[in-house]
Amino acid sequence: MSCPLSLTTKIHLGSIPKCRHPCSRNPNSSSPKFASLSTNSSISSSSIARSSKSLQVKLRDAALSVRRGRFGGASSRGSDSFTPDEEPLQVPSFIEFLTSERVKVVIMLALALALCNADRVVMSVAIVPLSLSHGWSTSFAGVVQSSFLWGYLASPIAGGALVDYYGGKIVMSWGVALWSLSTFLTPWAADASLWALLATRAMLGIAEGVALPSMNHMISRWFPQGERARAVGIAMAGFQLGCAVGLILSPILMSKAGVFGPFVIFGLSGFLWVLVWLSATSSTPDRSTQISKYELNYIQEKRQQTQKSFNMGNKSKSKVMPPFKILFSKPSTWSLMIANAMHSWGFFVILSWMPLYFKSIYHVDLRQAAWFSAVPWTMMALVGYFAAAWSDMLIQGGMTITVTRKIMQSIGFVGPGIALICLTTARSPLVASAWLTSAVGLKSFSHSGFLVNIQEIAPEYTGILHGISNTAGTVAAIVGTVGAGYFVELVGSFRGFLLLTSLLYFLAAIFWNVFSSGERINFDEPGT
């Protein structure tokens, strides 16, 4: 007997549970005709009727769910929907993914990271007029710019522990509020004294140290493993666009509102973000009041598939501190630290010195230098998402996580290394900007390499492990940012420092491919 409904999936009658539909629980309450049936004659007939009704309801709801998609919204018949144990949920389509509640969360994270980077990069533009007005040397300008990193060095590990305990939503809220306040107060600090300016920038670094651990924590709770690279790609696209927005808008705002205009505008924008974040998002999917039942079931089923062997379940809190001795005995931990260190070295050297590089090497004015420096970050945002989508496709196609992460990170290191060598040969600012764009764009493959790998090898310690690797990255960033200034004073050329950076990229790629792993490690047991 053929079913009149056209189904795209097979319905196995043996797997259909007993009907829980409200209308089949108590027929007497919904239809008065049942009241006239005698008890002795109705037992068998009512059982058959209920079974028939159950089958009809399940077939109908299955067809409707297939037709309208799993994530089309909350079901009006919540008690009739299939649970993860009854039927595997379909992988959402691209449109369903973009319109899901979890993408709304990651977009808010992307906006936070955009503000995070915009607040950093303002000083990269403002340092030129500030150096002229205060008579700072190139090496001392590097010290002023590195003051942000002093604070950033202190907070990632502590911030990661707070994230693991309190959750990403709360910690990110406090982080954005504090770094926005620091940015807002920078003009008054600069007018007060040099030490006040350095202290304000250090406080900015302390607050921003929780941004990436919070982002990683939220994504690990909201996204299945097969979607995390794309989620990180979206979030980090905001991070890179923050560079572009900061570099482009800062000279314009300075010309209209003075040197400190951008600090005030970006600081106020952060306060607005905090209000929206607190009112529109939840720390985990099961606490959200806006997520559909289909999406919640999909996330929970995928999480159970990857977590059942470690009995993590849906815990929102983990141990505050991991066993550090075991943690540092793992080669994959060191591969993350080296990768983050090299990534941060290249990132902050380019971020801090490229406006001055274009001004001193190619003799362009500040606004043009900002534009040449901004274009690469826009490219990084675009390439980063496509790299993330490709990474997820490779994993879904059967490639192991280890091989996928090694491919992504190799491109993220070897590509920029080659491009920076070519940059040193450029004879015009346009050609130099093209090579710089290539370097920064290829660098975004790292987001689908080590950055996602943090969630994979130690999900129970995502925050603290990110904090440890971030600390290594911050030390490298301080050495690179300050060292670039002294290197230029001693050698008299930026090009030599770019060649040194290329060499370090190649060495880091070798280290990553030898020691990294995409497999989850039980950090609580030595020898695993």
Side-chain angles (χ1 to χ4, degrees), residues 350 354 358 371-383 415-416 419-420 423 429-444:
I350 294 174
M354 282 304 103
F358 277 93
W371 272 98
F372 281 122
S373 302
V375 172
W377 302 111
T378 305
M379 180 60 67
M380 190 176 193
L382 297 175
V383 174
L420 288 181
L423 172 62
L430 187 61
V431 175
S433 181
W435 283 118
L436 183 62
T437 300
S438 299
V440 175
L442 292 171
K443 182 179 173 64
S444 65

Side-chain angles (χ1 to χ4, degrees), residues 347-364:
F347 179 87
F348 281 98
V349 166
I350 294 174
L351 180 68
S352 301
W353 291 107
M354 282 304 103
L356 190 58
Y357 176 80
F358 277 93
K359 186 176 185 301
S360 61
I361 299 296
Y362 301 107
H363 308 292
V364 297

Side-chain angles (χ1 to χ4, degrees), residues 238-313:
F239 193 66
Q240 314 313 332
L241 287 175
C243 283
V245 170
L247 288 169
I248 293 172
L249 290 185
S250 292
I252 298 174
L253 294 174
M254 287 178 185
S255 65
K256 302 295 183 181
V259 175
F260 297 116
F263 295 94
V264 175
I265 298 298
F266 291 141
L268 292 176
S269 299
F271 296 135
L272 177 62
W273 181 92
V274 172
L275 295 177
V276 178
W277 172 256
L278 290 174
S279 61
T281 63
S282 302
S283 57
T284 56
D286 56 329
R287 295 183 180 180
S288 174
T289 59
Q290 303 178 51
I291 191 173
S292 70
K293 186 172 181 63
Y294 291 124
E295 183 180 3
L296 179 60
N297 287 346
Y298 174 77
I299 295 172
Q300 290 178 338
E301 179 186 281
K302 294 298 182 182
R303 282 174 58 83
Q304 289 169 3
Q305 290 176 359
T306 57
Q307 295 174 349
K308 59 183 179 180
S309 62
F310 280 80
N311 195 30
M312 289 179 58

Side-chain angles (χ1 to χ4, degrees), residues 92-115:
S93 67
F94 180 69
I95 299 299
E96 291 166 344
F97 175 77
L98 289 182
T99 57
S100 62
E101 183 69 16
R102 60 191 184 279
V103 169
K104 184 183 80 174
V105 172
V106 83
I107 288 175
M108 287 299 298
L109 289 171
L111 292 175
L113 295 182
L115 289 170

Side-chain angles (χ1 to χ4, degrees), residues 119-416:
D119 290 349
R120 293 182 191 181
V121 81
V122 171
M123 185 57 73
S124 300
V125 179
I127 197 67
V128 177
L130 286 176
S131 296
L132 293 174
S133 61
H134 291 86
W136 295 339
S137 63
T138 304
S139 58
F140 190 77
V143 173
V144 173
Q145 294 205 75
S146 69
S147 60
F148 159 83
L149 295 168
W150 304 346
Y152 198 71
L153 177 64
S155 62
I157 295 180
L162 291 174
V163 166
D164 285 340
Y165 189 79
Y166 291 106
K169 179 182 177 180
I170 294 177
V171 177
M172 181 68 95
S173 302
W174 280 102
V176 176
L178 289 176
W179 85 54
S180 298
L181 178 63
S182 300
T183 302
F184 185 78
L185 293 177
T186 298
W188 288 270
D191 288 340
S193 68
L194 175 62
W195 287 108
L197 174 62
L198 297 178
T200 304
R201 295 296 293 176
M203 187 169 77
L204 173 71
I206 292 175
E208 290 196 357
V210 305
L212 292 181
S214 296
M215 178 272 291
N216 247 330
H217 185 277
M218 291 292 289
I219 287 177
S220 69
R221 267 52 181 177
W222 272 90
F223 286 83
Q225 188 176 65
E227 295 178 353
R228 287 178 186 172
R230 271 181 292 172
V232 171
I234 294 172
M236 296 306 294
F239 193 66
Q240 314 313 332
L241 287 175
C243 283
V245 170
L247 288 169
I248 293 172
L249 290 185
S250 292
I252 298 174
L253 294 174
M254 287 178 185
S255 65
K256 302 295 183 181
V259 175
F260 297 116
F263 295 94
V264 175
I265 298 298
F266 291 141
L268 292 176
S269 299
F271 296 135
L272 177 62
W273 181 92
V274 172
L275 295 177
V276 178
W277 172 256
L278 290 174
S279 61
T281 63
S282 302
S283 57
T284 56
D286 56 329
R287 295 183 180 180
S288 174
T289 59
Q290 303 178 51
I291 191 173
S292 70
K293 186 172 181 63
Y294 291 124
E295 183 180 3
L296 179 60
N297 287 346
Y298 174 77
I299 295 172
Q300 290 178 338
E301 179 186 281
K302 294 298 182 182
R303 282 174 58 83
Q304 289 169 3
Q305 290 176 359
T306 57
Q307 295 174 349
K308 59 183 179 180
S309 62
F310 280 80
N311 195 30
M312 289 179 58
N314 292 318
K315 294 179 181 179
S316 59
K317 294 183 181 180
S318 60
K319 298 177 183 178
V320 178
M321 289 296 174
F324 284 105
K325 183 178 179 180
I326 299 174
L327 194 66
F328 285 111
S329 69
K330 306 299 180 181
S332 49
T333 301
W334 288 96
S335 69
L336 285 174
M337 294 172 63
I338 295 298
N340 202 328
M342 189 61 243
H343 183 76
S344 298
W345 174 291
F347 179 87
F348 281 98
V349 166
I350 294 174
L351 180 68
S352 301
W353 291 107
M354 282 304 103
L356 190 58
Y357 176 80
F358 277 93
K359 186 176 185 301
S360 61
I361 299 296
Y362 301 107
H363 308 292
V364 297
D365 61 35
L366 182 59
R367 185 173 297 186
Q368 288 178 316
W371 272 98
F372 281 122
S373 302
V375 172
W377 302 111
T378 305
M379 180 60 67
M380 190 176 193
L382 297 175
V383 174
Y385 179 77
F386 287 109
W390 181 34
S391 172
D392 285 342
M393 288 175 59
L394 291 176
I395 294 174
Q396 292 169 4
M399 183 172 288
T400 65
I401 295 175
T402 298
V403 174
T404 301
R405 299 301 170 227
K406 288 185 177 183
I407 291 174
M408 295 294 113
Q409 194 59 60
S410 295
I411 298 174
F413 279 167
V414 176

Side-chain angles (χ1 to χ4, degrees), residues 338 341-342 345-346 413 417 476 479-480 497-511:
I338 295 298
M342 189 61 243
W345 174 291
F413 279 167
V479 174
F497 195 80
L498 292 178
L499 292 175
L500 173 62
T501 300
S502 296
L503 175 61
L504 294 176
Y505 267 129
F506 298 145
L507 294 176
I510 295 172
F511 192 93

